[in-house]
Amino acid sequence: MITAVKGMNDIRPGATEAFLDTRVWDTIFATAAEVFESYGYAHVLLPVVEETALFARAVGEETDIVSKEMYTFEDRGGRSLCLRPEGTAGAVRAYLEHNLSRTNALQRWWYGGPMYRAERPQKGRYRQFYQIGAELLGAPGVPAEVEMLLMLNTLMQRLGLQDFSINVNSLGDAPSREAYRKTLQEYCLQHEAALCESCKRRIHTNPLRVLDCKRESCGAVVENAPDILNSLSTEAMAHFEQMQTMLAARGLKVQRDRRLVRGLDYYTGLIFEFTTTALGAQSAILGGGRYDNLVSEFGGPPTPAVGFAAGVERLALLLAERLNLQQGPQIYLAPVAGAHTAAFVLADALRSVGVQVEVDVSEKALKHQIKRADKLGAEHVLVLGDTEITSQQGKLKHLKTGNEVAVALDATALKNTLLK
Ligand code: AMP
């Protein structure tokens, strides 16, 4: 038997693991679309395949994502392409390719779709996973950052998720970050013996990543490492403080996490993560930050930007417990033999007034049809036979209580009965 590729999931109705149930996913996507659009973000659908060089340059050659997790292949023309591991690089490419920096520099975009990273699969970590994210291009200041965090907080509230904390840090501007990189490198070299093999390598390639190493021994070293805030320029520090003040004024509490660095090289200034204790080791629900240099690194004019991406599987894991998935159609129409045409007419009339209807097409005996309605979690069953069609009268049965109500076979009358 051919099975799905390791680390890639089938998201389907009635999935054994509730977080893979399409109904959970549809709730997440619909809520995200509603919240993002209400903040003025427009939906973009960008390619899943991009040139490998895009991520090598944007995300960084030395990051785990690019150095060991990308699904890279040569196409028939010998070009090196890959399955996108994240959404920001493609968004910046599209922004430049369509000349938006010249015509309409300030853009608010949101997206949702699959991303690919060849990581070791475990709970909350997959090889094909979905992200919903947004990019705000063309806004330099604190308000853009504050607005994005407020929007994310709204999204979490709307999904009914409350058990999370918002962690923030600042990487400062380029000179302050470079100064900190050197300071941290020196510190790590002094404590090299206590670091894990990966961190020993990181000292030379990407010392900031030593800060978020999950090993206890490295954690102990990092505990006393110099704080990046001490390397920030006065301006960068004021920016970071002003952001926290503005958020506090809107009632949003954030925590400074001095070990927060994020695994992508394009960040400058603010970085943030929403984390939870409910997901075990994979505690990050979403992450993002400012990336003021990415557009210019790709040849565009200096364009400040801020963005985030949330993991849909992780949101689904949190949400699955809260949703009632036993939700079938409002009316299950059970036609006896020969009554399908009449059933389709009535079903369409009901749908046109906003009632969800499923017509039985199994052509099995009525008792089987009603069993199926029950299993689906339908609210009501309406049997349609010759008597009902001739009299235009039927009995609407509420499946949970067993109550039956006599009704006219008219869409509006039926809808009104449902509302009672
Ligand atoms: P990143 O693009 O690495 O900043 O990740 C943003 C968010 O995507 C994380 O906070 C996770 O929720 C989610 N995420 C990242 N990698 C994976 C993965 N391999 N499997 C599932 N979710 C992921």
Side-chain angles (χ1 to χ4, degrees), residues 207-221:
L208 261 66
R209 285 315 298 269
V210 176
L211 291 180
D212 76 345
C213 180
K214 302 286 177 284
R215 281 176 201 267
E216 256 178 50
S217 52
C218 299
V221 173

Side-chain angles (χ1 to χ4, degrees), residues 7 65 69 85-88 111 115-132 262-264 266-267 272-274 279 282-288 308-315:
I65 295 177
E69 293 168 1
E86 61 92 60
T88 300
Y111 62 85
M115 306 292 161
Y116 300 83
R117 294 181 198 172
E119 299 190 79
R120 195 168 60 78
Q122 52 188 293
K123 185 187 173 198
R125 190 172 284 290
Y126 307 96
R127 291 184 168 172
Q128 173 176 293
F129 60 99
Y130 285 70
Q131 287 185 336
I132 44 176
R262 316 262 313 116
L264 305 101
Y266 49 63
Y267 288 114
F272 57 84
E273 249 175 30
F274 283 35
L279 287 176
Q282 309 309 331
S283 63
I285 308 165
L286 65 87
F308 80 89
V312 180
E313 285 78 1
R314 296 189 192 175
L315 287 171

